[in-house]
Amino acid sequence: MQRNSKSVSPQSKRGPIVLIGMMGVGKSTVGRRLAARLGLAFVDADEEIERAAGMTITEMFGRYGESYFRNGERRVIARLLDDEPKVIATGGGAFMQEETRTLILERATAVWLDADIDTLVDRVSRREGRPLLKGKDPRVVLTELAAARNPFYALAPIHVKSIAAPHEVAVERILEKLVAWH
């Protein structure tokens, strides 16, 4: 382990650490780096969902709709929330589903990784394959999603603001908050 993680045990007192927040906030990138710093495994819930379904999230949305996807997402996240310490990055909408949110809050340490709309728009423009943005203005969609989702994300016991800076800055902030919280 490196500096600033000295008093965070890889054995989180509440099982896995789950990163929640809007698409484009950096949950996967930050999650990988956080896991490495803590000496834990990293799991991207969206990748696990795609593996379990044998298709991409975009294909699931297109063929079966959002409710089908959310049901599969809940099942995969429930499986990932065993007692093994790890870092899990979730999709932006996962925490909006009541059953999934309850599972995360009861069985993990939820960390809300937050960013302003300008940062999110910049980041989502770098990657395709986001079904909720397909054919739409990302700024409008992200603004509406943030207004609806942020009150739910705020239920997470740890809140870290991600800024337009290297992802390592967000990792450091999460580590500081984990130390203070534990």
Side-chain angles (χ1 to χ4, degrees):
M1 284 196 224
Q2 299 175 6
R3 65 180 175 78
N4 289 344
S5 59
K6 61 187 172 292
S7 43
V8 176
S9 165
Q11 298 292 326
S12 169
K13 75 176 185 180
R14 298 203 50 217
I17 297 166
V18 178
L19 301 181
I20 64 168
M22 294 285 289
M23 69 177 89
V25 77
K27 297 179 299 287
S28 294
T29 304
V30 169
R32 280 184 185 86
R33 293 174 184 195
L34 178 64
R37 289 283 299 275
L38 293 171
L40 299 176
F42 171 77
V43 182
D44 184 305
D46 284 350
E47 290 175 6
E48 291 295 314
I49 293 161
E50 289 180 341
R51 188 174 297 118
M55 67 180 81
T56 67
I57 291 170
T58 302
E59 289 171 329
M60 278 181 264
F61 266 75
R63 286 186 197 172
Y64 305 109
E66 186 175 1
S67 64
Y68 174 88
F69 167 74
R70 297 295 175 200
N71 188 41
E73 178 182 59
R74 178 189 43 74
R75 289 193 315 268
V76 168
I77 290 173
R79 177 176 48 83
L80 295 174
L81 290 173
D82 56 24
D83 289 331
E84 290 297 314
K86 66 176 78 70
V87 176
I88 302 168
T90 62
F95 204 68
M96 299 306 93
Q97 310 308 308
E98 185 175 359
E99 285 182 68
T100 304
R101 181 173 57 251
T102 299
L103 285 169
I104 292 169
L105 291 173
E106 288 178 352
R107 296 167 56 187
T109 301
V111 176
W112 174 22
L113 193 56
D114 188 14
D116 64 51
I117 297 298
D118 289 335
T119 301
L120 294 174
V121 170
D122 178 57
R123 290 178 182 170
V124 300
S125 68
R126 299 181 204 161
R127 193 177 117 205
E128 293 187 24
R130 298 186 186 273
L132 295 178
L133 297 180
K134 191 172 182 166
K136 298 176 183 166
D137 179 339
R139 179 171 302 280
V140 171
V141 173
L142 290 167
T143 300
E144 290 172 356
L145 286 174
R149 292 178 174 182
N150 286 355
F152 291 96
Y153 293 151
L155 297 172
I158 297 176
H159 179 193
V160 173
K161 192 81 166 171
S162 177
I163 57 173
H167 287 299
E168 195 61 33
V169 172
V171 171
E172 288 293 330
R173 289 178 172 179
I174 292 169
L175 289 169
E176 290 168 7
K177 298 260 183 148
L178 285 170
V179 168
W181 192 71
H182 286 100

